[in-house]
Amino acid sequence: MIIAHAGLGLRIGEVLALRVQDVDFLRRTVRVEYQVDQDNSALIPPKTRRSKRTIPLPNVVSAALAEHLRFNPPSPRKGWEG
């Protein structure tokens, strides 16, 4: 999480809201479409339209995310589907 947070330059709520489908390993991009609500941990849209964005995926972050997914395959979480 620290590598993704620092390497992508995201706010903590945006990092916590990242989903597997938001990461495009082939195009080397990450879509920021949600953030985590501090009050109830629900996924909510970012506060502004400009906050929804696609950003480059650095090699170091790509490698860290791929390694994380190798050992921790995604599973559906209630309320976090999207």
Side-chain angles (χ1 to χ4, degrees):
M1 187 169 115
I2 293 171
I3 293 171
H5 181 53
L8 296 172
L10 300 178
R11 296 172 188 93
I12 192 67
E14 294 170 336
V15 172
L16 294 172
L18 279 180
R19 305 166 301 164
V20 173
Q21 61 262 37
D22 294 331
V23 180
D24 188 333
F25 288 98
L26 294 177
R27 290 186 179 87
R28 310 205 58 78
T29 59
V30 174
R31 285 188 328 270
V32 179
E33 297 194 2
Y34 296 99
Q35 64 183 4
V36 172
D37 187 311
Q38 292 178 352
D39 296 328
N40 61 13
S41 299
L43 289 182
I44 59 172
K47 293 182 180 176
T48 67
R49 284 192 326 201
R50 283 185 49 204
S51 294
K52 266 193 175 181
R53 61 206 184 276
T54 300
I55 57 176
L57 176 63
N59 288 339
V60 67
V61 178
S62 176
L65 291 175
E67 187 72 2
H68 174 77
L69 289 171
R70 186 166 74 102
F71 288 103
N72 304 282
S75 61
R77 294 173 67 179
K78 188 172 184 159
W80 288 57
E81 298 85 15

